[in-house]
Amino acid sequence: MLPIKKHYKIRHKILETLYLLDNETTCAKEIHFNEIYKRLPHTDKIYLLDNLQFLIDAKEITCNKKYDDSLFLILGNGRSAFIERKYLIEGRKKSLEHIYDNLKVVSTAVLLIIAVSTFLVNIMQTQENKNQINQVKTRIDSLKMNFDNGK
């Protein structure tokens, strides 16, 4: 299972909370900020407010904006987003993209190391071949001189 960043999970949980509350009643029901906060343990209030604002901007929820008495209501887009698991899917997709980007960097680095090491091995092999060629030339020249002197 891929790790999903916290803000994707919290957005889904907010929509879930509002969706389930909305389904409990026959008419649309608004929920107070403190009630949302209670239903989402281990969540910082500022972080929750930021994600609520994100969902408001995305037109998935609405708020009456009465400061300490703010009430939130899920909209049609929010219901669809929850049912389709939009933020969980988006979070997985972003995680996959992050992993893919990291793999690209690592594979590029590995290929660069392989290329440099191959280049260095080729330089050393070429130098060794040149030395062997020079030794063979010297040996041929010495045999040639011995042959010419022997005539």
Side-chain angles (χ1 to χ4, degrees):
M1 186 75 142
L2 287 173
I4 298 174
K5 290 193 176 183
K6 185 178 176 183
H7 57 274
Y8 291 108
K9 289 179 185 178
I10 195 74
R11 290 172 190 162
H12 183 76
K13 284 297 213 182
I14 291 168
L15 291 174
E16 178 182 29
T17 301
L18 292 170
Y19 177 84
L20 294 175
L21 184 67
D22 194 48
N23 276 351
E24 288 175 5
T25 60
T26 54
C27 62
K29 179 142 188 206
E30 294 177 323
I31 184 171
H32 193 274
F33 172 79
N34 289 334
E35 184 62 28
I36 296 172
Y37 182 69
K38 282 184 216 170
R39 292 183 185 212
L40 299 172
H42 313 296
T43 305
D44 177 67
K45 281 188 177 185
I46 301 297
Y47 190 70
L48 180 59
L49 283 170
D50 289 343
N51 282 285
L52 284 166
Q53 187 60 50
F54 179 89
L55 293 171
I56 290 168
D57 293 343
K59 300 195 182 335
E60 293 175 350
I61 65 172
T62 188
C63 175
N64 68 358
K65 297 192 182 201
K66 292 184 181 174
Y67 301 102
D68 290 341
D69 245 354
S70 292
L71 299 173
F72 296 89
L73 175 70
I74 192 166
L75 299 174
N77 289 343
R79 294 174 70 79
S80 296
F82 170 71
I83 291 167
E84 295 168 2
R85 302 167 52 93
K86 173 184 173 181
Y87 291 106
L88 296 179
I89 291 169
E90 199 173 294
R92 282 190 196 103
K93 187 188 297 183
K94 291 290 184 185
S95 292
L96 279 173
E97 288 173 5
H98 181 71
I99 290 169
Y100 178 69
D101 289 344
N102 287 340
L103 284 174
K104 283 194 307 191
V105 169
V106 168
S107 64
T108 302
V110 167
L111 290 174
L112 181 61
I113 290 169
I114 290 170
V116 168
S117 63
T118 302
F119 178 71
L120 292 175
V121 167
N122 283 343
I123 287 175
M124 292 185 321
Q125 189 65 45
T126 302
Q127 189 63 36
E128 187 179 320
N129 289 346
K130 281 182 183 178
N131 289 340
Q132 288 176 354
I133 289 170
N134 285 337
Q135 288 175 358
V136 169
K137 278 184 182 179
T138 305
R139 179 80 175 141
I140 290 173
D141 286 344
S142 110
L143 287 173
K144 193 176 186 182
M145 286 182 71
N146 284 342
F147 182 70
D148 285 342
N149 287 340
K151 278 188 169 180

